[in-house]
Amino acid sequence: MSRNGYTKADLEQIVGAQLENLNAMHDLLAIMKLQNELITNANKKLKDEIEDFKKKIKPYPTGHRKKSL
């Protein structure tokens, strides 16, 4: 047994597990980046649609009330 208590095979197994975890995190980050881009595009499209809708509608006419004294 070595001084630190780990054999070479143990360390190789730990490093292999860490590499798998890093690859999994990389995949998750790529998915999150794609989702963020999709949300950003959807928000932009919705904002544009709202602006177009606001341009098309006419404001409701409000009558001015006469103040009685």
Side-chain angles (χ1 to χ4, degrees):
M1 183 184 273
S2 64
R3 195 168 94 181
N4 63 5
Y6 293 103
T7 64
K8 181 179 179 182
D10 292 336
L11 294 174
E12 287 174 349
Q13 185 178 7
I14 291 169
V15 170
Q18 288 176 334
L19 181 60
E20 287 178 27
N21 289 337
L22 284 172
N23 286 332
M25 286 192 296
H26 178 266
D27 293 343
L28 289 173
L29 285 172
I31 290 168
M32 290 172 64
K33 182 178 178 183
L34 176 62
Q35 288 176 338
N36 193 33
E37 289 173 3
L38 292 171
I39 290 170
T40 301
N41 291 340
N43 284 341
K44 183 181 181 312
K45 185 176 179 182
L46 181 59
K47 182 180 176 184
D48 292 343
E49 288 178 6
I50 290 171
E51 288 175 0
D52 290 343
F53 179 76
K54 284 182 178 179
K55 288 177 187 176
K56 289 179 184 178
I57 62 171
K58 295 181 182 178
Y60 185 77
T62 56
H64 296 285
R65 292 186 176 180
K66 295 182 181 180
K67 292 183 181 179
S68 60
L69 296 172

